[in-house]
Amino acid sequence: MAIREIRKFPDPILLRKCRVVRRIDDDIRKLATDMVETLIDADGVGLAANQVGILKRVIAIHLPEEDPYWLVNPQIIRTEGNREVEEGCLSLPGYVGLVNRSVSVTARALDQNGSKWRITAEEILAQALEHEVDHLNGIMFMDHLLEHERLREVGEEPEQGETHLHDVNYNIQAHHHEGDDDNPELLVAKAKLSEVTPQHSMSELAYDLQEPKEQDPRGETTAK
Ligand code: NI
């Protein structure tokens, strides 16, 4: 097993859709066990494969006090209810925001033996499953923010009457192509988080990133 680098927002790979896994082979098992180790090392609850730069539908889950596990091709097949929860993401360290998540989530997947796995979950597992399946579809939790003002730095109490969040300067390593892990380009990015509204998709945000040509990174890079 090995710890892999967790890609940070606004790495474009986080806006890409992951592909269905046709066969659980040694490559998938290696990826998945690395993801579990990476997740434990980062002290997170969930991790999706595009967060480690691989566009495959694999997620790792580690609930507090439970053994970690991984799943292949997870799908949410039913949701019930609505609740507001505070959420963060390993790809946007240091920030949390209030999002709407389901009270109960029924999901199916393949487990590490390739057997059918199905669960109806609540609380943190329901939230994690929705968050990770979103990742596999190129969606980050900021897409669900109830109000952009509510994204705040960890440890900073929300202020009464606060109306504006400062944009975030990020020093990131950009990987423009799958597999070019050896030569990441160092960029200073400005993520205009203050432009996020519930109607917004992250893909519409203006990144100060040297992304080549087009205006719609999601449209261009989405793997069909
Ligand atoms: Ni995440």
Side-chain angles (χ1 to χ4, degrees), residues 83-101:
R83 63 190 182 119
E84 261 182 35
V85 280
E86 194 163 72
E87 194 159 309
C89 180
L90 293 174
S91 292
L92 188 68
Y95 290 85
V96 289
L98 273 184
V99 295
N100 259 318
R101 291 291 185 196

Side-chain angles (χ1 to χ4, degrees), residues 7-223:
R7 304 295 183 87
K8 304 293 192 301
F9 172 84
D11 190 318
I13 202 158
L14 297 168
L15 304 181
R16 294 181 63 180
K17 266 192 182 174
C18 295
R19 290 182 288 268
V20 169
V21 173
R22 303 277 169 213
R23 202 164 69 87
I24 300 178
D25 56 16
D26 286 348
D27 283 351
I28 292 293
R29 273 186 282 271
K30 169 89 172 88
L31 166 67
T33 50
D34 283 356
M35 283 172 60
V36 165
E37 190 175 352
T38 304
L39 179 60
I40 291 169
D41 178 69
D43 202 19
V45 171
L47 191 68
N50 48 345
Q51 289 183 279
V52 294
I54 305 291
L55 291 170
K56 294 191 173 147
R57 299 188 85 83
V58 179
I59 64 171
I61 299 280
H62 187 205
L63 300 180
E65 323 266 306
E66 288 187 21
D67 289 336
Y69 56 96
W70 52 270
L71 298 168
V72 167
N73 300 337
Q75 279 181 291
I76 308 283
I77 52 177
R78 206 167 69 101
T79 64
E80 232 176 69
N82 225 277
R83 63 190 182 119
E84 261 182 35
V85 280
E86 194 163 72
E87 194 159 309
C89 180
L90 293 174
S91 292
L92 188 68
Y95 290 85
V96 289
L98 273 184
V99 295
N100 259 318
R101 291 291 185 196
S102 306
V103 171
S104 158
V105 165
T106 302
R108 68 178 172 210
L110 294 176
D111 68 14
Q112 38 209 76
N113 304 312
S115 307
K116 283 184 184 162
W117 179 94
R118 186 187 166 110
I119 198 168
T120 297
E122 294 186 344
E123 303 288 333
I124 192 172
L125 180 54
Q127 185 182 1
L129 287 168
E130 285 191 321
H131 181 111
E132 301 317 322
V133 171
D134 270 353
H135 268 306
L136 298 180
N137 292 322
I139 295 166
M140 292 185 72
F141 82 92
M142 298 86 89
D143 276 320
H144 296 296
L145 283 181
L146 298 177
E147 295 174 19
H148 76 260
E149 292 85 359
R150 291 192 182 170
L151 187 72
R152 60 177 177 84
E153 285 189 63
V154 171
E156 180 186 284
E157 287 309 310
E159 279 173 42
Q160 204 62 11
E162 187 185 14
T163 57
H164 181 81
L165 181 97
H166 292 286
D167 295 342
V168 182
N169 281 308
Y170 252 83
N171 289 306
I172 60 158
Q173 295 188 330
H175 304 251
H176 289 304
H177 309 286
E178 205 180 343
D180 67 349
D181 304 77
D182 295 338
N183 284 309
E185 186 182 352
L186 268 178
L187 296 172
V188 177
K190 178 174 262 192
K192 297 188 176 166
L193 296 172
S194 57
E195 291 179 3
V196 183
T197 71
Q199 287 76 39
H200 246 104
S201 161
M202 290 307 284
S203 63
E204 295 163 22
L205 285 183
Y207 304 140
D208 235 350
L209 243 187
Q210 292 150 25
E211 263 286 273
K213 42 208 183 238
E214 72 291 277
Q215 301 102 311
D216 181 4
R218 179 175 294 178
E220 194 262 341
T221 54
T222 295

